[in-house]
Amino acid sequence: TQSTWGNMVHLIVVSHGMWGTVRDVSALCTMLSEKFQDCVVVRAETNSFLATYDGVDVCGARLYEEIKQYVAELQKQGHKDIQLSVVGYSAGGLFQRYAITLADRDGFFETVTPQLFITVATPHLGARSSEKSYFGKVWNKGGEKMSWIYGGRSLKQMFLADNEKEEYEPLLVQMSSPSSPFIQSLTKFRRIYFFANIRADNTVGYRSAAVAAINPYVHQSASQINENNQTGFPSIIRVTRIDEPTDPVKIAPGCSGWSTSTSVLKGLGVLVATPLLVVQAACMFGLRGYHSISPSTRPTFTPIHRSYSSDHLSSTLPTEPITIAGEDVLQSEGAITLAPGQSIGVEVDAKDDDVVSDADVEEEVDEQSFESLGKHAQTIYRNLSSLPIHRVDCCLPEPHTHGSIIMRRPHNRSGKKILEFMCRLFDENNVLVK
């Protein structure tokens, strides 16, 4: 969709995640296009289905080449003032982080102005489960061993298992290093938002998507969650600065331990899923033989992350908050900007069918200690938690919310409220206003 004014144009690039296609993000792109006709909204097409196997670095490089083509076309049309915002869903958020780093290295932001950087249910801390539970240990080990079938290099990197020779840290750890170009390029964006499901996201957990030490909602009933809604906007429970201390966990009566019903349900789920996973693995294995993304079709680029050794990374763990240049830009008039301890509220009337009921929230208490994240995820958390990132906590009623948060399919209608809120952020930040 394209409708611009003068020489100024705002480009919004939206990318999907693993095994995905442009269809996954169509609802968001359509909503942005309808609401903001004076902009260019594109669905990144370069990484689709099995192409997402090639690695965060390769997919990021491919995405950067696609963004360059869009910008070159706009410049050819005579637009000199180009604003750029990016949205990454699931693994697409990691692809976007790598892409903007390559762009920054090439001096891309000398002629293009970075505006909003948004990720939705993105595994910033990786895809590993709790290191303190039996289920988590089985999941993590299985992910490490089976990633080559289910997600190739990309999934292995998300399981933080891409440093077998231990010559360098896992890619996601390197992408969080305070002195790395990954952080320098990310903080050039005017505003950064991480959207995360607080419950029932069985693909990317809250802690990984929100970059949180614990999930403060895991012990709460639906009524408690709804009472603590600080925004007044349906499905959006809270918007906070990521460097704000996490609220103490409030224990709901009857939810002080691992519930028997949850354990039984998860056990039955594993029994039912096992044969399905075997069949899926066979199909994936067959598809690998027809994998269309061969080394000859991969983009030629100089990787960024391997230039950082493990010694360098271990010596750069943050001991104090990072000072970000351009603070005056971050505090621009009319923008949603939160200091630690603040939250936002949007005056919108909530309907009864938008509220999550107590029956929709299961009693679930997982091993939520910070140590259960594992060594590498802890390092990533420490590195990212001092950045000026806004965390958006989302609560949806479905039994599996990973697709709903982006309204990936038409039946995921509850996610529409979240997409409307996301559009509201563009408005509030005066990014798309003439």
Side-chain angles (χ1 to χ4, degrees):
T1 299
Q2 181 175 346
S3 176
T4 61
W5 62 89
N7 289 326
M8 189 279 214
V9 61
H10 191 101
L11 173 65
I12 305 175
V13 180
V14 185
S15 62
H16 57 76
M18 289 294 297
W19 313 288
T21 66
V22 293
R23 177 188 176 191
D24 295 350
V25 294
S26 291
L28 173 59
C29 292
T30 299
M31 190 175 295
L32 285 169
S33 299
E34 292 175 350
K35 187 173 181 61
F36 306 109
Q37 298 181 9
D38 295 314
C39 66
V40 178
V41 181
V42 296
R43 301 177 298 177
E45 300 177 348
T46 188
N47 297 307
S48 293
F49 196 32
L50 292 178
T52 59
Y53 277 54
D54 286 346
V56 172
D57 50 343
V58 175
C59 292
R62 222 184 262 126
L63 180 58
Y64 170 46
E65 292 299 321
E66 187 173 359
I67 294 174
K68 279 201 302 185
Q69 293 176 11
Y70 296 138
V71 171
E73 181 63 28
L74 291 173
Q75 291 174 336
K76 188 183 299 184
Q77 296 174 12
H79 301 291
K80 297 180 180 180
D81 183 3
I82 299 177
Q83 314 283 315
L84 174 67
S85 291
V86 298
V87 181
Y89 165 59
S90 195
L94 298 178
F95 301 161
Q96 292 281 20
R97 285 177 58 192
Y98 205 100
I100 64 169
T101 306
L102 290 173
D104 192 29
R105 185 182 65 178
D106 290 350
F108 190 75
F109 295 137
E110 294 176 4
T111 56
V112 176
T113 304
Q115 290 287 356
L116 298 189
F117 187 95
I118 299 173
T119 66
V120 184
T122 292
H124 295 287
L125 302 187
R128 301 180 70 86
S129 186
S130 171
E131 303 285 356
K132 298 294 184 180
S133 69
Y134 175 76
F135 174 82
K137 292 176 181 178
V138 172
W139 169 264
N140 296 338
K141 185 59 67 174
E144 293 175 9
K145 301 300 182 183
M146 299 296 288
S147 60
W148 66 280
I149 294 178
Y150 288 103
R153 289 183 69 241
S154 297
L155 193 57
K156 192 164 189 175
Q157 289 166 345
M158 283 182 264
F159 269 95
L160 309 175
D162 54 318
N163 66 329
E164 293 176 332
K165 298 181 180 180
E166 297 186 353
E167 296 177 355
Y168 50 88
E169 296 283 6
L171 173 59
L172 297 192
V173 177
Q174 296 185 47
M175 288 175 65
S176 74
S177 177
S179 60
S180 73
F182 297 101
I183 298 302
Q184 295 169 13
S185 59
L186 181 62
T187 53
K188 287 187 177 181
F189 279 77
R190 184 168 175 242
R191 200 73 78 243
I192 309 168
Y193 294 96
F194 287 176
F195 282 69
N197 283 309
I198 68 174
R199 61 170 297 277
D201 192 328
N202 302 317
T203 304
V204 179
Y206 171 80
R207 294 194 293 177
S208 188
V211 186
I214 63 171
N215 183 348
Y217 305 98
V218 75
H219 300 286
Q220 297 187 30
S221 65
S223 58
Q224 286 179 306
I225 292 174
N226 290 322
E227 287 173 3
N228 291 331
N229 188 318
Q230 299 176 7
T231 68
F233 201 98
S235 302
I236 306 295
I237 302 303
R238 187 172 63 168
V239 180
T240 55
R241 279 279 293 264
I242 212 167
D243 51 2
E244 173 188 341
T246 305
D247 290 343
V249 176
K250 299 177 181 179
I251 307 296
C255 299
S256 58
W258 180 268
S259 69
T260 303
S261 60
T262 300
S263 299
V264 171
L265 288 175
K266 286 197 171 184
L268 291 175
V270 171
L271 289 176
V272 173
T274 299
L276 296 178
L277 289 174
V278 172
V279 173
Q280 184 183 10
C283 295
M284 287 293 187
F285 185 78
L287 288 170
R288 290 285 285 175
Y290 295 95
H291 196 268
S292 60
I293 308 301
S294 63
S296 62
T297 62
R298 290 177 181 173
T300 301
F301 70 103
T302 303
I304 297 174
H305 58 286
R306 291 177 186 260
S307 62
Y308 293 90
S309 66
S310 57
D311 291 338
H312 170 80
L313 286 168
S314 62
S315 65
T316 56
L317 292 180
T319 56
E320 56 184 350
I322 301 171
T323 301
I324 306 298
E327 190 65 18
D328 55 332
V329 176
L330 294 175
Q331 302 294 335
S332 58
E333 183 178 357
I336 296 179
T337 305
L338 305 179
Q342 290 183 322
S343 59
I344 69 168
V346 182
E347 295 183 0
V348 177
D349 293 331
K351 298 179 180 179
D352 293 338
D353 56 359
D354 294 322
V355 180
V356 181
S357 65
D358 287 329
D360 291 326
V361 178
E362 63 187 42
E363 296 179 358
E364 180 176 345
V365 181
D366 198 357
E367 287 72 7
Q368 283 292 316
S369 65
F370 178 63
E371 292 72 19
S372 69
L373 286 173
K375 179 183 69 174
H376 292 313
Q378 290 177 38
T379 299
I380 299 171
Y381 167 77
R382 292 191 185 99
N383 289 346
L384 296 181
S385 60
S386 58
L387 298 179
I389 298 170
H390 293 77
R391 178 192 293 132
V392 184
D393 296 344
C394 308
C395 184
L396 296 171
E398 283 84 359
H400 182 38
T401 57
H402 189 68
S404 302
I405 193 173
I406 199 71
M407 205 174 166
R408 190 167 61 188
R409 296 292 181 265
H411 65 270
N412 300 136
R413 294 183 179 180
S414 63
K416 184 177 180 181
K417 298 296 183 182
I418 294 176
L419 300 190
E420 291 174 352
F421 181 81
M422 196 178 302
C423 290
R424 179 68 176 264
L425 293 180
F426 282 91
D427 260 341
E428 295 290 342
N429 281 280
N430 291 328
V431 172
L432 301 178
V433 179
K434 292 183 181 180

